[in-house]
Amino acid sequence: MRIRNLYDPPTLKDRDPVVPWVPKDIMTASARISDEGCEITVTGDGVGWLYPPLQDGLAKVVWEKADGGNLIGISDNDTVPIYPGVTVLVRLCGYEDASLVTMLKNLGLPLVFAASDHPY
């Protein structure tokens, strides 16, 4: 069975940039919207925290990173760590039922997928 992504969530190009919280005395954080998405830059020693986006009636909303990974704090907290460097967020992914995310994580599958021969 071939697996491909059939989900096309909205991009972050038309949204305001999101800036993570960082301890002001040892770190800095900034964000800007680029052609690729929301580019977050964190400098200093330590870790910053990105708060979850608005749920908009959904059970869970998470950010998708440009490298295909997802920032998820669904298991124990809604905030996610942001480490020094550049992180690019490209999409917001929403789910009506958080159990779907848990099931896919336990199976080791990407968060959004569908079998190409059974798209529904």
Side-chain angles (χ1 to χ4, degrees):
M1 175 187 312
R2 293 176 312 224
I3 304 257
R4 67 184 172 115
N5 184 355
L6 297 178
Y7 181 59
D8 189 22
T11 65
L12 294 177
K13 292 179 185 174
D14 297 325
R15 297 179 63 97
D16 290 333
V18 292
V19 179
W21 175 89
V22 295
K24 299 289 184 199
D25 53 340
I26 59 172
M27 299 180 75
T28 62
S30 63
R32 69 181 185 92
I33 299 300
S34 67
D35 288 339
E36 194 172 356
C38 179
E39 183 179 295
I40 298 172
T41 303
V42 174
T43 61
D45 295 324
V47 63
W49 294 96
L50 187 62
Y51 293 100
L54 293 175
Q55 304 302 81
D56 293 331
L58 297 171
K60 183 58 63 178
V61 178
V62 297
W63 288 279
E64 182 180 339
K65 294 194 315 186
D67 64 5
N70 287 278
L71 296 176
I72 303 172
I74 202 165
S75 298
D76 44 19
N77 197 332
D78 285 335
T79 58
V80 290
I82 300 291
Y83 296 97
V86 176
T87 301
V88 179
L89 308 176
V90 292
R91 299 180 196 278
L92 278 175
C93 302
Y95 307 94
E96 291 182 1
D97 183 353
S99 65
L100 169 66
V101 178
T102 303
M103 178 188 72
L104 293 176
K105 280 178 57 179
N106 290 341
L107 293 172
L109 294 171
L111 287 181
V112 287
F113 80 98
S116 59
D117 52 349
H118 295 83
Y120 306 105

